[in-house]
Every structure is written in structure tokens, then in C-alpha cells.
Amino acid sequence: MARRSAPTLLKRLIDTSSGLNPNPNPNLTKPWLSHSRSVTYMPRPGDGAPRKVTLIPGDGIGPLVTGAVEQVMEAMHAPVYFEKHEVRGNMKKIPEEVLDSIRKNKICLKGGLATPVGGGVSSLNMQLRKELDLYASLVNCFNLKGLPTRHQNVDIVVIRENTEGEYSGLEHEVVPGVVESLKVITKFCSERIAKYAFEYAYLNNRKTVTAVHKANIMKLADGLFLESCRKVASKYPGIKYNEIIVDNCCMQLVSKPEQFDVMVTPNLYGNLVANTAAGIAGGTGVMPGGNVGADNAVFEQGASAGNVGSDEILKEKKANPVALLLSSAMMLRHLQFPSFADRLETAVKRVIAEGQYRTPDLGGDSTTQEVVDAIKKYLD
């Protein structure tokens, strides 16, 4: 009798055990791919203690989408609980007890706050960032599987300086009919935001940082910003550094967004770039973001456009909770609860991919609650 080779016997054994399919599990021949879990996260003693989070529901659809987050956190027994404070965009200032709460808890989840146009009322969003020195805004704009967009392979992180520039709020009327608005750029803040952008890229295995500017016109202000970025870039030789003028940047974003990786910007440009990138990648209703400083962090919908919604959406209770839910996943990672963040992000992406439950901004007709219920079913 002819001898069978070892590979032939192994193939017969696999064929016999798997019925008609000769190789039902391709990982059998690739044992390094057979485990679904990654190397485990080892917490420090006490890391599982529940964390108190300051919650600001905000205006418009804010209470609806922050309520969605509360439901999902409760459903998956996340180790966080909320200390709720009512803040409205038409208030003259952020109440001191709210600032004290954030300083104590060091973490906040926030719905949208309406900013009145004109009238001399300052933005509470700006107040919050300045009072807590939340100098870095981060918005992650990326394609979601199952959500059709004009461009694919978009995965952009916009890191925006949050405390100065055109948002300094230094305006005055020189003479009747002539108003002067000051743009303030400092070396300290520019180097600080550049360092944060490169540090983010390094820690997240990002390959390129692009500085957005208008130094061809604002040679001193934006020139100082670029000098600061170049100085910091020289300390990260493993990360490619580019520069782009803001108007060309906008054109490149809408024509070839996949070329961008991490973008670092002064205040005003960052707001424009982040909202544009969010619209390209799938809409402001699905893009997460947050604001961070040395001591505190505030998580909210990544792109500001539409974050308080419309009266019609509020009346029909069809606000999209996805952006704030993904921002909450970012918050959970910030709090060092990675498995809860993974579960939440996976459930949200699965509901988006299946496409059965989508709010009107994504082409569906589902209510906020229907989307939340669908996500809760996938929290395994």
C-alpha cells in the first residue's frame, strides 16, 4: 500500500470533520489569526471604580442626544455616572458651579449650546474653553461602512487651537461705522497646539501632520504659527510635515480628502476645516470630537454645524445621536475604559452598516429612540 504523505492525511482529517466544505475556517492554517481578542488591557488597581462625569444637556436637541448616551451607558453598565447641570446658550456666563463641577470631575459630556448671532452676547462655548484652558479641539472625520459618500478612504483628524486667534473676542468700534476685530496669535499657544498634534500623531501611528495657514497674507500672525509648527516638527523626524494655505486646503478637501491625515490649525480655520471634512465624510451628525487641556476634557459632537438641531427635528424626536455616542466612546478611552469604548463603537458602527435604523439626516426616517434601541441590542 502506498504511503500517504502527512499533508494529505491532514487535509483528509479536515475534510472529514468539516463535511462538504474542505476548509470552513481559513484560520486553521493561520493560528495567529484564530483569536478574536487582542492582547489584554491590564488595569491598575482601582481603575474600575465608577467615574463621575459632568453632564450639560444644552439647547435644542442636546437633551435628546445626551439622554441617548445616558441610556446606552446604563445598558452596558459602563463605570460612569452623571452629574447633570442645566446651561443655556442665552445665559450671560457659565455658572460657577458648573465650572467647579468640571474642575472637580475633570471630565464633561456636553450637548450643543446655541450661540446668539450679534447682540453682544458672548459664546458660552468660548467661555468654557477659556475658563478651563481647553486649548486643543479634536474632530475625527472618517467614512462609516454602509454610509454612502462621494469620497472613500477618508480618515482625517482636525486639531484646532481653541483659545486665541479670531476667537479672542477683542472687538471695538473705532468710530461710528468702523469696527476693529483683533486676531491674536502667540508663540506659546502655537507651539502648544503643534506639540499636541504631533504627540497625537505619534501615539496613534499617524504618518503626516499638515499645518493649515494664510501666511501669504497674514505674514506675522500666521507666520508665527508656521514657525512654531516647524520647530515642533523638527523634533518628530518620523512624521511627515506639510503646510497648506487655507483656501487651497478647502479645495483639496472637497476634491481629494483622502490625502489628509492629521491637520493642525489656528482657531477659525479649524472650525471651517472640521465642518467641511465632517460633511465630506458622512455628515456632522456622525462625527465625534472633544476639547482637552492639561487638566480637563469636554466631549461633544465633533462638528459644530447643526449641534442644536431644528425645531422640526426636536418636535419629531429624530435627532441623530451617533456623533455624541461616538464622542462618548472617545470619553471612555480617555477614562481608560477601553473595552466599554470598543463595545459602544462596534454597536454604533454595526447599526450604521446595516442601514435599517437611520435618522433623516442620513436618509432614513427613524427616531432617536429607535436608533438607540437598535444600538443597545448589539452591546455584547
Side-chain angles (χ1 to χ4, degrees), residues 171-368:
E171 296 182 313
H172 63 277
E173 189 175 46
V174 182
V175 295
V178 179
V179 173
E180 189 173 56
S181 180
L182 302 180
K183 171 178 177 173
V184 177
I185 297 288
T186 66
K187 179 181 179 181
F188 172 79
C189 289
S190 297
E191 288 187 0
R192 184 170 66 165
I193 195 65
K195 182 178 179 182
Y196 183 82
F198 277 92
E199 192 173 68
Y200 172 87
Y202 170 67
L203 292 174
N204 288 276
N205 196 30
R206 295 279 184 156
K207 307 302 182 185
T208 306
V209 173
T210 301
V212 182
H213 67 95
K214 191 65 177 173
N216 58 324
I217 302 297
M218 285 170 274
K219 299 182 184 299
L220 292 179
D222 284 24
L224 177 58
F225 177 77
L226 280 187
E227 287 175 15
S228 301
C229 290
R230 291 166 185 166
K231 179 180 176 181
V232 174
S234 67
K235 300 176 182 178
Y236 290 84
I239 298 173
K240 185 179 179 182
Y241 172 65
N242 294 327
E243 296 172 358
I244 189 168
I245 296 173
V246 63
D247 38 350
N248 182 34
C249 173
C250 293
M251 187 274 289
Q252 295 289 337
L253 267 175
V254 298
S255 59
K256 195 178 178 183
E258 62 276 6
Q259 69 183 288
F260 294 107
D261 191 358
V262 176
M263 307 175 78
V264 60
T265 77
N267 208 334
L268 176 61
Y269 308 155
N271 193 17
L272 304 176
V273 168
N275 279 275
T276 303
I280 289 166
T284 58
V286 294
M287 299 301 151
N291 307 276
V292 67
D295 300 312
N296 308 293
V298 175
F299 293 87
E300 59 185 336
Q301 178 176 310
S304 59
N307 64 353
V308 296
S310 66
D311 292 338
E312 183 180 356
I313 291 175
L314 182 59
K315 182 179 179 181
E316 296 180 353
K317 297 185 177 180
K318 292 183 177 180
N320 192 342
V322 168
L324 201 63
L325 285 167
L326 291 176
S327 297
S328 300
M330 287 176 58
M331 180 186 76
L332 289 169
R333 290 200 179 96
H334 183 81
L335 291 171
Q336 297 185 355
F337 299 136
S339 66
F340 288 92
D342 291 344
R343 287 168 58 197
L344 175 53
E345 183 177 345
T346 299
V348 170
K349 288 182 175 179
R350 185 170 175 182
V351 169
I352 292 291
E354 290 182 352
Q356 184 176 355
Y357 297 99
R358 290 183 181 175
T359 47
D361 60 310
L362 300 182
D365 195 43
S366 300
T367 64
T368 305

Side-chain angles (χ1 to χ4, degrees), residues 132-148:
L132 300 172
D133 196 25
L134 303 170
Y135 67 86
S137 165
L138 187 150
V139 181
N140 191 189
C141 303
F142 54 92
N143 293 125
L144 286 162
K145 184 178 179 180
L147 192 62

Side-chain angles (χ1 to χ4, degrees), residues 23-34:
N23 191 10
N25 184 359
N27 291 339
L28 285 173
T29 58
K30 299 178 180 179
W32 58 90
L33 297 178
S34 62

